Amino acid sequence: MILILDYGSQYTQLIARRVREQKVYCEIIPYNGRIAHRQTEVEGVILSGGPASVYEDEAPWLPKEILEWNVPILGVCYGAQLMMHTLGGAVASAKEREFGQADLEVKKTSSVLFEGLEKNKKHSVWMSHGDRIEKLSPGFEAVAVSNNSPYAAIENESKKMYGVQFHPEVEHTSIGRQVIANFLFNVCHSKPTWTMQSFLKTQIDQIRQTVGDKHVLCAVSGGVDSSVVAVLLNEAIGEQSVSVFVDHGLLRQSERDEVDGYLRKHFKLNLKTIDATERFFTALGKGVEPEFKRKTIGRMFIEVFEEEAKKLNDIQFLAQGTLYPDVIESVSHRGPSQTIKSHHNVGGLPEHMKMKLIEPLRELFKDEVRALGAELGIKHEFLWRHPFPGPGLAIRVLGQVTKERVALLQKADHIFISALRESGLYDKTWQAFAVLLPVQSVGVMGDVRTYENVCALRAVSSIDGMTADWSPLPYDFLAKVSNRIINEVRGINRVVYDISSKPPATIEWE
């Protein structure tokens, strides 16, 4: 396996994702976690990036065991700086911070890290650092440079230690996959044996071992993730799993009937659908803060599930479709990654929840969940629905959440999504949706002044949700959708289009 030490980068799990793409098994643990007992398993170590500076008093450190194992090491950004700092080099604050796209020029074309890449060409890479390496440790040499980084890639070939100042794990680095593959196969000599089939088998075995003869309540929110968990549990323990689909009144138009019907008909799930609309709207009340909405909805979900568990007896576990992007944006999962926002099934759990959690997708990204769903026999059309947040439309209705405002958004969103499907654009976007803003604007309809709501449309392209670019949908398409929404949804008189990428924005508005 490849061991990834987490130093707090928002992209740490992306490193794991890139490794798994090469069908190589890997695990993430915090830099200060227990690692001594893993020595015999590890064939290579990757040190992640992070927000700290190596010269700070309480900066995260490089465990001495790693250096004693005599296995290949690849340091990424902070990880590379930490290697130099630990081994006798020098790192200092850069005069010019290097953030975003940069041109990388490979000086040592024979370097194993850059094997297979076109020579004598500058490569586009993603930088994100305020410090830089000023002096190399003994035995290291420069492999590549950028405008602001004289040591953008370094290596000590005899000790099989490598460092890159850029982030090879992100989509914005054109050569990233090749660099990681070179480290895995040419340096660590890993074998491509980890597949979604093996992951499925492992999860089924783990679920059976964890649950034993007890019963599990599976939380189904209507999205792809929770549906995959429900089918996975059905495959693993059958009738010991009870799926509860809670309609909180914040689903997309017609979604309750579509999800309920498909799961019952094709997988014969032990599924119970509950209409909790009034309960959720009452709990949300006049609250407008995003964190309040997310945590309130998370709390309400758990209350409903716990009540159902009491009715069913012998329910000791709660299963839910938490993914890693949810976790890393909500809490410090395994390392010191910074919190961005709470997710309903991460940040909103009560401290004394009576059931134990089962989260079989916790280490996966959306596309990996879809691959797992395909292994389970879930149809393509269902798996490739755009991601939908557990809090539902509550975090797309900015400001107070009322039935009337949700109904407006459902209609606008349905027009947008239907138009994407009709135009062949739905599968070309990773996620698209409408947002109802807490803003009213003046308009004119039929020579009459209107003062109604503003609707924003959002569409992004992405692979895993950790980074995303706004989708340049055709102008004529946007004009058509805008016209339909304004004409067909009474209460909306203006439509705008969101052209923000992630980062710096998030995909959802709240």
Side-chain angles (χ1 to χ4, degrees):
M1 60 168 270
I2 298 296
L3 186 66
I4 301 170
L5 293 193
D6 181 13
Y7 285 94
S9 171
Q10 294 297 326
Y11 302 138
T12 299
Q13 189 70 3
L14 277 180
I15 300 175
R17 180 185 143 63
R18 297 294 173 247
V19 173
R20 293 199 297 256
E21 281 180 348
Q22 303 294 335
K23 299 182 180 179
V24 175
Y25 180 68
C26 63
E27 290 185 16
I28 299 173
I29 66 171
Y31 72 91
N32 55 356
R34 291 181 60 249
I35 61 173
H37 66 292
R38 312 305 295 270
Q39 180 177 358
T40 57
E41 306 171 75
V42 176
E43 56 190 4
V45 176
I46 299 178
L47 312 177
S48 84
S53 293
V54 296
Y55 45 78
E56 293 175 348
D57 290 340
E58 298 183 2
W61 62 89
L62 179 60
K64 64 179 182 179
E65 297 98 319
I66 296 296
L67 299 175
E68 296 170 354
W69 287 356
N70 195 31
V71 297
I73 300 175
L74 172 64
V76 176
C77 197
Y78 179 85
Q81 296 170 5
L82 183 60
M83 270 202 306
M84 293 302 93
H85 180 73
T86 304
L87 298 174
V91 177
S93 178
K95 292 181 180 179
E96 294 184 26
R97 187 178 180 216
E98 200 167 26
F99 180 81
Q101 295 295 150
D103 289 330
L104 184 80
E105 184 177 355
V106 179
K107 293 295 187 180
K108 183 183 177 182
T109 56
S110 62
S111 171
V112 66
L113 276 190
F114 299 97
E115 186 175 316
L117 297 176
E118 187 176 346
K119 295 178 172 58
N120 302 316
K121 175 186 175 181
K122 290 187 177 180
H123 303 281
S124 180
V125 299
W126 182 263
M127 297 283 195
S128 180
H129 60 95
D131 296 335
R132 73 176 192 175
I133 299 168
E134 296 287 353
K135 176 187 174 184
L136 293 180
S137 306
F140 281 82
E141 62 179 316
V143 173
V145 302
S146 68
N147 287 339
N148 292 316
S149 296
Y151 305 114
I154 57 176
E155 69 178 20
N156 184 325
E157 194 170 3
S158 63
K159 292 188 176 181
K160 294 186 177 180
M161 300 178 73
Y162 304 84
V164 292
Q165 188 62 76
F166 59 91
H167 285 272
E169 68 272 26
V170 304
E171 286 293 323
H172 300 78
T173 296
S174 61
I175 60 173
R177 282 179 171 82
Q178 185 66 54
V179 169
I180 291 175
N182 285 340
F183 177 72
L184 296 176
F185 302 124
N186 298 342
V187 179
C188 301
H189 304 295
S190 300
K191 298 291 188 297
T193 57
W194 189 86
T195 64
M196 196 50 67
Q197 294 96 319
S198 66
F199 178 83
L200 174 58
K201 182 180 183 303
T202 299
Q203 286 302 314
I204 288 176
D205 291 342
Q206 287 183 357
I207 290 168
R208 289 172 177 169
Q209 183 178 0
T210 300
V211 173
D213 60 353
K214 301 298 188 290
H215 288 76
V216 180
L217 188 151
C218 180
V220 179
S221 64
V224 172
D225 310 325
S226 62
S227 298
V228 169
V229 172
V231 177
L232 172 59
L233 284 168
N234 190 53
E235 179 80 10
I237 57 176
E239 288 297 315
Q240 289 175 251
S241 172
V242 180
S243 296
V244 176
F245 180 18
V246 177
D247 181 1
H248 47 20
L250 301 163
L251 299 172
R252 291 173 286 205
Q253 188 167 299
S254 304
E255 191 159 36
R256 171 176 169 175
D257 293 337
E258 292 171 3
V259 173
D260 184 291
Y262 179 69
L263 293 179
R264 285 183 193 276
K265 180 179 179 181
H266 293 276
F267 295 99
K268 305 295 189 287
L269 290 191
N270 184 8
L271 178 65
K272 182 176 182 180
T273 298
I274 298 172
D275 188 342
T277 301
E278 295 297 334
R279 185 170 181 171
F280 275 80
F281 276 100
T282 299
L284 287 169
K286 295 183 179 181
V288 298
E289 290 297 322
E291 287 294 284
F292 167 80
K293 294 179 186 179
R294 288 177 173 274
K295 292 184 177 181
T296 296
I297 290 172
R299 186 184 73 250
M300 296 306 297
F301 266 126
I302 297 301
E303 287 181 6
V304 173
F305 293 139
E306 284 191 324
E307 289 173 8
E308 291 303 313
K310 287 181 181 178
K311 297 176 185 176
L312 296 167
N313 297 320
D314 198 31
I315 298 288
Q316 295 191 14
F317 298 92
L318 170 66
Q320 59 183 17
T322 306
L323 303 192
Y324 190 77
D326 301 337
V327 175
I328 200 167
E329 288 189 340
S330 298
V331 293
S332 179
H333 172 39
R334 289 181 171 174
S337 304
Q338 295 187 4
T339 298
I340 303 299
K341 59 186 177 185
S342 298
H343 288 256
H344 82 288
N345 53 352
V346 181
L349 296 180
E351 292 182 5
H352 305 292
M353 192 182 66
K354 298 174 183 177
M355 292 179 283
K356 298 176 182 178
L357 273 179
I358 293 179
E359 297 174 308
L361 312 183
R362 190 178 177 92
E363 301 297 327
L364 300 184
F365 287 86
K366 178 67 71 173
D367 61 315
E368 293 174 320
V369 172
R370 286 171 169 149
L372 178 62
E375 287 292 327
L376 289 164
I378 301 176
K379 68 179 181 179
H380 177 87
E381 294 79 6
F382 191 88
L383 281 176
W384 284 88
R385 290 179 300 151
H386 287 178
F388 187 65
L393 299 182
I395 57 171
R396 294 178 182 174
V397 171
L398 276 56
Q400 185 179 356
V401 181
T402 66
K403 288 184 179 179
E404 294 74 21
R405 300 192 75 213
V406 169
L408 284 180
L409 182 57
Q410 285 175 328
K411 293 175 184 176
D413 185 75
H414 181 69
I415 290 171
F416 185 29
I417 299 304
S418 297
L420 285 168
R421 292 186 186 279
E422 293 164 4
S423 302
L425 295 170
Y426 185 82
D427 288 336
K428 295 179 180 179
T429 55
W430 191 77
Q431 188 172 2
F433 53 90
V435 180
L436 190 66
L437 306 185
V439 173
Q440 289 183 300
S441 71
V442 173
V444 179
M445 299 182 74
D447 295 328
V448 176
R449 178 187 185 274
T450 62
Y451 189 57
E452 296 177 336
N453 296 279
V454 178
C455 172
L457 302 181
R458 175 80 156 144
V460 299
S461 60
S462 181
I463 299 295
D464 41 50
M466 291 300 290
T467 61
D469 292 320
W470 64 274
S471 298
L473 297 178
Y475 290 148
D476 57 345
F477 170 81
L478 290 173
K480 176 183 176 182
V481 172
S482 174
N483 188 60
R484 281 195 59 191
I485 290 175
I486 291 171
N487 279 282
E488 297 176 29
V489 184
R490 187 177 294 274
I492 294 177
N493 69 352
R494 189 179 300 270
V495 175
V496 298
Y497 190 57
D498 183 350
I499 58 170
S500 308
S501 292
K502 176 186 180 180
T506 54
I507 295 176
E508 297 288 347
W509 280 44
E510 291 190 340

